[in-house]
Amino acid sequence: MKVSLNWLKDYVEIRMDLKELINLLTMAGLEVEEAASVGEGFEKVVVVEIHSIRKHPNADRLSLVEAKTPQETFSIVCGATNIKEGQKVPLALVGARLPNGIEIKRSKIRGVASEGMLCSEIELALGQDASGIMILPPHVPLGINLGEALGLKDTILDISITPNRPDCLYVIGVAREIAALTHQKVKYPLPSLANHGEEIDQKTSVAILDQDLCPRYVARMIEEVKISPSPHWVSDRLEKVGVRSINNVVDVTNYVMMEYGQPLHAFDFELLEEGRIVVRRAKEGEEFVTLDGVKRTLDGEMLMICDGVKPVAIAGVMGGLNSEIKEDTKRVLLESAYFNPAGNRRTSKKLGLETEAAYRFGRGIDYGGCLSAANRAAQLIQELAGGRVVGGVVDVYPAPIKPNPIRLSVKKIHQVLGTEVFAKQVRGYLEDLELEVQGESEDTLVVTPPSFRGDLEREIDLIEEVARLDGYEKIPITIPKGPPSSEERSKEFLIERKTVDTLIYHGYHEVITYSFTSPASWDMIGLPPDDPRRQHLRILNPLTEDFSVMRTTLIPGLMETVCHNVSRKNSNLKLFELKKVFIPQEGEKLPKEVKFLAGLAMGFDRDPHWAFSPRPVDFYDIKGCVEDILDGLQIKEVKFRQADDIPYLHPGKASKIVLNHEVLGVLGEVHPQVLGHYEVLGKVYLFEMDFSKMVKGAGEERRFQYLPKFPAVYRDLSVVVDKSLEAERVMEAVRTFRQPFVEEVTLFDIYQGPPIPEGKKGISYRIRYQANDRTLTDEEVNQYHEKILSRLKEVFSLELR
């Protein structure tokens, strides 16, 4: 929510500097994310009055203008024809630099010196009019810089408004907070219009057919309007808070929305058939063209604003092309209504149409302020568009909403906040917030919230208001009372913590991606049509098609993160995510939530260093990381089996992780086609494991073992095997032989090439023999080693190197 500081000053006195104001609002729950200065650069553009205009002696189309301030007189050469004596205009002095980049220098034009330049709106970036000099209002003081004269110099506060505070989504709402925090009264605008009369009843009527979706509808009419651009003060304020200026009537509706928080809509009354308004639900499948030119299909739960024949607006969301304000509009019907927030949110989400009006209606506006906002807008249209406000007002409010009184115990405030706040202080704070307070007893107050504070429903809500105004910093810091919890952390939590620590040790960074994804992501990672992961759960009201289904794998999210980083020249990545995927269950409304661990690596293994040359990461980097995770969790008997059927991994460079004949996960190099879909160059390696199976297979914590007292004996084993034989299978065989004293088998070399025959490879292992009660002799070790070699020849038909 952007708020102009100058605009705020219309309703409340700012008694502090900017830094103090930002701190005051932030500590009261309205976090100021940014304070930006605007309107700078007009220091050398001053307001002057045209004293005389004479013809240039050497040019027919130029004039010599004498312009004055109270202190100086300037001689200017000017080519504009719209200026007259006595007008006030902006003069860019010598040395000024205009927003369009032009620097004003002392110069001679056709032999006559010119001491500056009279400026148009477009040259000052204050409008689009380039036809002549910008004429300033008569009341503007002479001699001061233009920024100060027109209030251009301003500070825009970008305030983060929480969803429960729609009363702060407008300027007066923020001013009301400042007033309460500084013990002031808000200076509300006071429109002077007659609310009674029969004239409007003779020209139009309003019928609400669905009161549950529209409890209140206010209408006013303005005749004889003239559509034109808004004056600068209106368009400037709107543009500062991010609203585009359109014309004087539409700008007034937006101005009052930003001022009062009440979204308004202006209809061209001549385009309303039968000259009346009917508020009803849409017909199922009914079509309607909104102001953005898009034909939208409606359903029976959407509320429509109609004339006597057809729809003219989607209530609280957007108007229609068939009733918009145009250049020839003469009569305006002004709508100021209160729509059911839940119904409005539902319509906005279904249509994917988020507007400023829908944003406010969806959070709940001030149902009691519809009339005052309509009066304010009608008066401004009358002033800016030269219209006449028709006497009387249509206010259809069949079942007035009344806020419920809330009992507030001062003693309860002390218990919750731990601060000493007296009943008189509490009353003062709440009255500063414009709440109605009555005393039931010394300890109990009866508080009635105003219509603009729909968030105040319970006693605890009022206690929070007292805490905000008294100051959160006054709440004492205390240690929670009660015995410490004896509940042990779950096994899953401990395993998750250990897994994350291992990944961080390996240089990985945790990411959190969206649980929503696009159905197209299954094609991006190459899942075949019959892959069960394509059976996703669709979201009822997705934000966009890109977030329309629940994910069944973490891979797309990680690949999108890689794409995002690579496009920003960050290609050395080690990322992981440990989150849930959502698997639909037949016959069940809710999906099965399964936690998965996925990680990937690409680029170099380290940053450049004078002592170490970085190397590209490869398959064995992620395999080693996975082995460390499994080893740390005491998951035993894990096998790595080559796999060529994993759609998003490169055939021949992928492996399945198998535990007790069950697939625990996969790892390998990402398929080049997948990388192409994500526009990623280079090689990417990833792993994905079912974390629930990891928890199930995890063993007990490692226990300390005494260091061996007797030395080990090592024997190397070098064999020639078929190229297709996995090196790990030989190691597994040695372990399964269960020969005495074999403590460890490690692989230390693989070789292909001469003198190894074609289609073969050489593998070298080191076996550690060790006894706990004595030193082994060479004779014993050789005996066991020969038995192992003999068994290997029988099983694999291998040869010694």
Side-chain angles (χ1 to χ4, degrees):
M1 170 66 186
K2 292 184 177 180
V3 180
S4 157
L5 192 60
N6 287 348
W7 202 347
L8 276 173
K9 291 177 181 177
D10 287 354
Y11 316 111
V12 65
E13 184 181 348
I14 307 296
R15 299 172 177 173
M16 62 201 74
D17 62 27
L18 180 61
K19 187 175 180 180
E20 290 175 320
L21 177 63
I22 290 172
N23 184 67
L24 181 76
L25 289 171
T26 300
M27 292 305 296
L30 304 182
E31 181 186 358
V32 180
E33 295 183 335
E34 184 183 17
S37 296
V38 296
E40 305 284 352
F42 292 102
E43 288 75 13
K44 288 197 172 184
V45 180
V46 298
V47 178
V48 296
E49 183 177 2
I50 298 176
H51 184 67
S52 65
I53 303 174
R54 294 181 291 116
K55 186 179 178 181
H56 192 291
N58 303 320
D60 293 337
R61 295 186 178 183
L62 298 178
S63 302
L64 296 181
V65 179
E66 186 179 89
K68 291 186 175 182
T69 69
Q71 295 82 24
E72 297 180 80
T73 300
F74 303 91
S75 179
I76 312 297
V77 177
C78 180
T81 58
N82 69 318
I83 53 176
K84 298 177 183 179
E85 293 181 359
Q87 289 178 333
K88 293 180 179 179
V89 295
L91 170 65
L93 302 175
V94 174
R97 183 178 290 275
L98 302 182
N100 59 10
I102 296 175
E103 185 176 352
I104 307 302
K105 298 180 181 179
R106 192 179 301 276
S107 61
K108 284 188 177 183
I109 302 175
R110 292 292 183 94
V112 178
S114 182
E115 301 174 310
M117 184 178 84
L118 301 182
C119 301
S120 66
E121 285 185 359
I122 199 166
E123 288 166 334
L124 296 169
L126 297 177
Q128 298 301 315
D129 189 359
S131 61
I133 302 303
M134 182 180 182
I135 309 302
L136 301 176
H139 66 271
V140 175
L142 289 174
I144 64 174
N145 75 67
L146 188 66
E148 184 180 348
L150 298 182
L152 302 176
K153 191 174 182 180
D154 199 356
T155 299
I156 306 301
L157 304 178
D158 193 348
I159 304 176
S160 176
I161 307 297
T162 54
N164 68 318
R165 294 301 305 274
D167 61 298
C168 292
L169 287 172
Y170 49 98
V171 181
I172 287 179
V174 177
R176 199 156 43 212
E177 286 290 298
I178 296 172
L181 293 164
T182 56
H183 307 294
Q184 299 184 61
K185 297 294 182 183
V186 177
K187 296 176 282 187
Y188 289 101
L190 298 174
S192 54
L193 291 174
N195 292 335
H196 305 287
E198 298 182 358
E199 186 180 357
I200 194 170
D201 296 334
Q202 298 168 2
K203 296 176 183 287
T204 189
S205 65
V206 174
I208 302 176
L209 303 185
D210 291 284
Q211 297 176 13
D212 57 325
L213 295 181
C214 178
R216 186 178 190 184
Y217 194 103
V218 174
R220 295 216 67 144
M221 187 181 293
I222 307 95
E223 297 182 327
E224 302 169 18
V225 300
K226 183 179 179 182
I227 305 300
S228 63
S230 295
H232 177 264
W233 68 270
V234 174
S235 60
D236 178 61
R237 282 191 169 180
L238 287 177
E239 287 167 7
K240 282 178 178 176
V241 296
V243 180
R244 181 172 60 91
S245 176
I246 298 173
N247 59 53
N248 48 4
V249 171
V250 176
D251 285 358
V252 164
T253 64
N254 288 328
Y255 186 93
V256 174
M257 178 178 69
M258 301 308 294
E259 182 182 47
Y260 275 77
Q262 170 70 56
L264 305 169
H265 190 72
F267 298 101
D268 186 329
F269 186 71
E270 302 297 339
L271 300 178
L272 299 180
E273 297 188 49
E274 299 182 7
R276 63 193 182 98
I277 290 292
V278 178
V279 185
R280 62 164 174 83
R281 279 179 164 87
K283 299 172 185 175
E284 196 69 36
E286 189 171 10
E287 293 184 336
F288 180 69
V289 180
T290 47
L291 280 171
D292 56 4
V294 178
K295 182 185 288 187
R296 303 182 186 275
T297 302
L298 314 173
D299 65 35
E301 290 302 311
M302 297 178 182
L303 190 68
M304 302 299 294
I305 309 299
C306 308
D307 59 21
V309 176
K310 64 185 184 301
V312 291
I314 301 174
V317 179
M318 185 178 283
L321 277 177
N322 57 5
S323 61
E324 69 172 329
I325 300 298
K326 299 178 181 177
E327 292 182 0
D328 59 351
T329 297
K330 300 299 180 185
R331 289 205 290 175
V332 172
L333 185 72
L334 192 64
E335 167 192 287
S336 176
Y338 175 74
F339 300 117
N340 180 283
N344 188 268
R345 283 196 305 272
R346 184 169 56 245
T347 298
S348 176
K349 292 295 183 186
K350 281 185 178 180
L351 295 176
L353 195 57
E354 184 71 42
T355 61
E356 290 285 350
Y359 182 79
R360 286 163 172 77
F361 277 125
R363 282 154 181 77
I365 63 165
D366 177 9
Y367 53 84
C370 297
L371 181 57
S372 55
N375 289 342
R376 170 69 166 164
Q379 185 175 51
L380 286 173
I381 291 174
Q382 181 176 257
E383 293 174 2
L384 303 183
R388 181 187 74 85
V389 179
V390 172
V393 60
V394 176
D395 187 357
V396 182
Y397 198 8
I401 304 170
K402 294 183 179 179
N404 295 319
I406 305 169
R407 280 184 169 77
L408 175 63
S409 166
V410 179
K411 187 181 295 183
K412 182 69 174 293
I413 297 174
H414 299 164
Q415 292 173 352
V416 173
L417 302 183
T419 56
E420 190 71 23
V421 185
F422 299 103
K424 186 177 181 181
Q425 287 177 278
V426 173
R427 178 186 287 270
Y429 291 146
L430 299 179
E431 288 178 344
D432 283 342
L433 290 168
E434 301 186 21
L435 278 63
E436 182 184 327
V437 184
Q438 295 178 339
E440 192 173 82
S441 66
E442 289 187 4
D443 177 68
T444 304
L445 302 174
V446 179
V447 183
T448 304
S451 57
F452 56 81
R453 288 303 302 270
D455 61 307
L456 302 180
E457 300 176 339
R458 302 169 299 165
E459 183 181 37
I460 195 66
D461 298 330
L462 298 177
I463 294 175
E464 183 180 358
E465 294 302 295
V466 173
R468 286 196 315 116
L469 268 68
D470 194 50
Y472 288 128
E473 69 278 1
K474 293 183 180 179
I475 298 175
I477 299 173
T478 57
I479 298 173
K481 296 179 180 179
S485 173
S486 59
E487 183 181 351
E488 294 185 6
R489 290 178 173 176
S490 68
K491 178 182 178 182
E492 181 177 340
F493 176 86
L494 295 172
I495 291 173
E496 181 174 329
R497 189 69 265 157
K498 185 174 288 188
T499 301
V500 170
D501 289 345
T502 303
L503 285 160
I504 291 172
Y505 174 78
H506 277 265
Y508 284 75
H509 297 273
E510 185 172 12
V511 298
I512 300 175
T513 62
Y514 289 112
S515 297
F516 314 135
T517 188
S518 166
S521 63
W522 314 141
D523 297 324
M524 298 277 279
I525 64 173
L527 294 184
D530 59 346
D531 193 297
R533 285 169 291 188
R534 282 184 176 269
Q535 305 304 313
H536 50 248
L537 189 72
R538 179 165 284 277
I539 299 166
L540 288 178
N541 296 307
L543 297 174
T544 67
E545 184 62 20
D546 289 341
F547 300 101
S548 61
V549 299
M550 302 296 288
R551 66 186 177 194
T552 57
T553 171
L554 302 177
I555 303 300
L558 282 179
M559 289 306 303
E560 286 166 12
T561 305
V562 170
C563 178
H564 181 83
N565 278 269
V566 169
S567 67
R568 285 156 180 78
K569 309 301 181 185
N570 181 23
S571 57
N572 293 333
L573 299 171
K574 284 187 175 181
L575 309 174
F576 78 92
E577 183 169 16
L578 179 54
K579 291 296 176 187
K580 291 179 179 179
V581 300
F582 304 88
I583 312 298
Q585 303 181 84
E586 189 174 349
E588 298 288 339
K589 288 185 177 180
L590 297 178
K592 182 181 180 182
E593 299 182 19
V594 184
K595 189 173 285 188
F596 267 74
L597 170 67
L600 60 80
M602 69 174 295
F604 291 99
D605 67 330
R606 68 184 73 196
D607 292 328
H609 191 274
W610 64 269
F612 308 100
S613 295
R615 61 168 182 81
V617 296
D618 57 23
F619 176 91
Y620 297 102
D621 284 295
I622 61 164
K623 183 172 182 285
C625 178
V626 169
E627 287 176 327
D628 269 4
I629 293 171
L630 299 175
D631 185 58
L633 300 180
Q634 294 290 290
I635 300 177
K636 305 291 187 181
E637 307 301 329
V638 172
K639 310 292 189 299
F640 292 87
R641 295 286 181 253
Q642 183 171 328
D644 296 329
D645 59 346
I646 304 169
Y648 44 85
L649 296 182
H650 197 303
K653 300 180 181 180
S655 173
K656 290 182 179 178
I657 307 168
V658 181
L659 175 62
N660 299 328
H661 306 291
E662 188 177 19
V663 177
L664 182 64
V666 296
L667 62 86
E669 182 181 329
V670 177
H671 200 292
Q673 288 185 354
V674 175
L675 296 179
H677 291 152
Y678 288 97
E679 299 181 352
V680 175
L681 300 177
K683 294 184 177 181
V684 178
Y685 300 89
L686 67 79
F687 63 85
E688 184 181 35
M689 292 189 287
D690 187 329
F691 190 72
S692 60
K693 292 180 181 178
M694 293 171 61
V695 173
K696 186 178 178 181
E700 297 293 330
E701 286 287 328
R702 285 185 175 178
R703 298 184 179 277
F704 174 76
Q705 290 183 342
Y706 289 101
L707 294 175
K709 297 180 180 180
F710 302 97
V713 178
Y714 294 90
R715 289 289 184 269
D716 290 348
L717 179 65
S718 295
V719 295
V720 177
V721 299
D722 288 339
K723 183 179 177 181
S724 60
L725 181 66
E726 297 172 0
E728 189 176 13
R729 292 187 61 190
V730 177
M731 297 170 62
E732 291 174 15
V734 174
R735 296 191 191 102
T736 57
F737 294 160
R738 299 190 181 279
Q739 288 296 317
F741 312 120
V742 175
E743 291 292 323
E744 185 180 40
V745 184
T746 56
L747 170 71
F748 69 87
D749 185 48
I750 298 178
Y751 174 74
Q752 289 179 260
I756 303 296
E758 188 81 22
K760 300 284 187 178
K761 63 182 176 182
I763 310 177
S764 297
Y765 303 90
R766 178 161 293 166
I767 304 175
R768 176 164 62 91
Y769 296 90
Q770 194 165 26
N772 294 325
D773 57 349
R774 59 194 170 87
T775 301
L776 295 174
T777 65
D778 285 343
E779 185 178 339
E780 286 180 294
V781 173
N782 290 340
Q783 180 184 351
Y784 296 129
H785 197 67
E786 285 296 328
K787 287 182 180 180
I788 290 173
L789 180 57
S790 177
R791 293 288 302 278
L792 288 175
K793 287 180 179 180
E794 292 176 11
V795 175
F796 299 109
S797 301
L798 51 76
E799 300 176 8
L800 285 176
R801 284 182 63 184

